[in-house]
Amino acid sequence: MGSSTDYNMLVPIIDLSLLQKDHQTRSLVINQIRESCRTAGIFAVINHGIPETIAEEALTVNKNFFNLPLNIKEEFFSPDMYKPVKYGTNQGEAHGILWEYLKLYSHPFEKFVDLWPKSPPDYREIMGNCTMEMRKLSIQICGAIMESLDLEATYLKAEIEKGVQMVAINSYSSISGSNMKIIGASQHSDFSVITLLLQSSLGLQVMDKNDKKWKSVPVIKGALLVLVGDLLEVLSNGEYKAVLHRAIRTSGNDTRLSIASFQSLEMDEILEPAMKLVNEDHPEQYRGCCLRDYLKHRASGESKPFVETVKITNSATIQ
């Protein structure tokens, strides 16, 4: 899969402020979300309530973190998948470090903030503001998505509010003096209900569900991206499919930063397809799973995507 040819993704743009308007306007927005989840697996939200200064400060403070000496960053290095704060690098044989990352558990905030980096000095304050705002927005969007599935807006709300929020910050250095495009993060889907993504510049690509081509996702000023995750695919009984995506490194002078907030349930909370979405015409397609199952899968080194391991084969029994 994949090609060196550039294709641009026409990402649906949804104005979240319209959810507060009259019933007819709200219904139109819910329908936009439904179609976006079904056909693209990704959409952009504007007028989402997060001040642009919070997003800009978060990108800047993480750029400053990745510019710190390696010995400071390596204090957070760990092979432990369960580590609440984890720094690392991904390397390619021909191209050195492909990217650096920092993963933070961020909810409950009070439980994890003292484990976060102390440098830069304002890191905890700025990222605390950012992660709390992203979590609040994720819960709001999840409610609208539940409505788009003809479920109650409060379906799983309590479980999502108690759930794990993990934030991944990725730093992709550019490839100076080259027209090459080199894969950074390889193709994958996210183990989340939804992923909320902020990116500083181009680099995200998604697999178009229609023509199966990789397409570049534009940077829309003031917007955040919403990606359908594995948990939403399971919950929707396959009505919404997790979006396959990757990141590339391109030539240029700027380092690309992305901040992704993954909204899941609690570590051992089993999520299954909503029973309202299971019937004779649409039998259950997935078995229940939880975040711990996913982390065990990752730690095992199994190459098969996790969501594929929880699919149920509804084939006739061979006589």
Side-chain angles (χ1 to χ4, degrees):
M1 284 189 293
S3 165
S4 60
T5 306
D6 278 333
Y7 300 93
N8 292 320
M9 180 78 176
L10 294 175
V11 178
I13 300 175
I14 295 175
D15 185 342
L16 286 189
S17 69
L18 298 180
L19 287 172
Q20 312 305 321
K21 302 294 184 182
D22 58 273
H23 177 73
Q24 183 178 5
T25 302
R26 181 182 176 86
S27 295
L28 289 172
V29 176
I30 295 297
N31 190 58
Q32 280 184 299
I33 291 173
R34 178 184 296 113
E35 290 306 306
S36 300
C37 289
R38 278 179 177 166
T39 61
I42 183 173
F43 56 92
V45 291
I46 59 173
N47 295 325
H48 44 67
I50 299 180
E52 198 166 338
T53 52
I54 286 182
E56 290 172 350
E57 288 175 354
L59 289 170
T60 299
V61 81
N62 279 289
K63 181 178 181 179
N64 293 339
F65 170 81
F66 287 114
N67 284 336
L68 290 171
L70 186 59
N71 65 303
I72 295 177
K73 294 181 287 188
E74 283 187 333
E75 291 177 17
F76 301 99
F77 174 79
S78 172
D80 184 357
M81 292 295 298
Y82 295 91
K83 197 77 171 177
V85 180
K86 182 177 166 67
Y87 167 81
T89 62
N90 285 73
Q91 303 190 27
E93 291 182 7
H95 304 287
I97 293 177
L98 296 178
W99 85 93
E100 296 177 273
Y101 63 83
L102 181 67
K103 295 181 179 178
L104 309 171
Y105 278 70
S106 50
H107 180 75
F109 176 71
E110 297 78 11
K111 178 179 179 180
F112 295 115
V113 64
D114 289 341
L115 304 174
W116 291 4
K118 293 180 181 179
S119 297
D122 52 357
Y123 190 88
R124 293 176 176 179
E125 178 184 358
I126 289 174
M127 280 305 292
N129 291 336
C130 179
T131 59
M132 285 190 281
E133 289 288 343
M134 292 181 90
R135 178 176 172 272
K136 183 168 67 174
L137 178 58
S138 292
I139 292 169
Q140 178 192 358
I141 293 170
C142 283
I145 288 174
M146 298 308 164
E147 282 190 66
S148 76
L149 288 165
D150 295 323
L151 301 169
E152 295 293 330
T154 54
Y155 187 83
L156 284 184
K157 185 173 188 289
E159 290 85 350
I160 291 171
E161 286 180 339
K162 290 188 298 182
V164 171
Q165 179 194 24
M166 195 273 284
V167 176
I169 307 101
N170 295 295
S171 175
Y172 301 87
S173 58
S174 60
I175 310 164
S176 301
S178 172
N179 292 320
M180 295 172 60
K181 291 186 177 179
I182 298 171
I183 303 298
S186 59
Q187 64 182 52
H188 65 282
S189 59
D190 294 335
F191 188 80
S192 61
V193 180
I194 60 170
T195 300
L196 203 58
L197 182 69
L198 169 67
Q199 57 172 345
S200 65
S201 55
L202 289 171
L204 177 67
Q205 292 188 332
V206 301
M207 175 66 71
D208 191 294
K209 293 176 183 290
N210 296 311
D211 61 19
K212 307 301 180 186
K213 288 185 170 66
W214 286 109
K215 295 190 177 178
S216 294
V217 176
V219 178
I220 303 166
K221 184 172 175 58
L224 291 170
L225 296 168
V226 180
L227 283 68
V228 171
D230 293 345
L231 283 174
L232 183 52
E233 180 172 333
V234 171
L235 181 148
S236 69
N237 201 31
E239 179 73 13
Y240 299 161
K241 294 293 196 301
V243 64
L244 197 62
H245 56 286
R246 68 183 187 183
I248 59 168
R249 299 167 68 208
T250 59
S251 60
N253 298 318
D254 294 330
T255 294
R256 175 182 179 267
L257 281 164
S258 67
I259 301 175
S261 173
F262 305 95
Q263 191 62 50
S264 303
L265 304 189
E266 289 186 294
M267 185 67 71
D268 294 302
E269 181 84 34
I270 300 294
L271 183 137
E272 299 176 315
M275 291 312 299
K276 188 176 179 180
L277 305 178
V278 177
N279 53 51
E280 192 174 323
D281 293 329
H282 301 92
E284 195 167 10
Q285 300 291 320
Y286 303 83
R287 61 179 175 82
C289 59
C290 65
L291 179 55
R292 193 176 302 277
D293 294 334
Y294 169 73
L295 292 174
K296 287 179 180 176
H297 175 83
R298 283 287 307 274
S300 73
E302 168 65 53
S303 60
K304 187 175 184 180
F306 178 77
V307 73
E308 296 295 324
T309 70
V310 297
K311 284 185 177 178
I312 297 171
T313 302
N314 291 298
S315 57
T317 304
I318 299 173
Q319 299 296 322

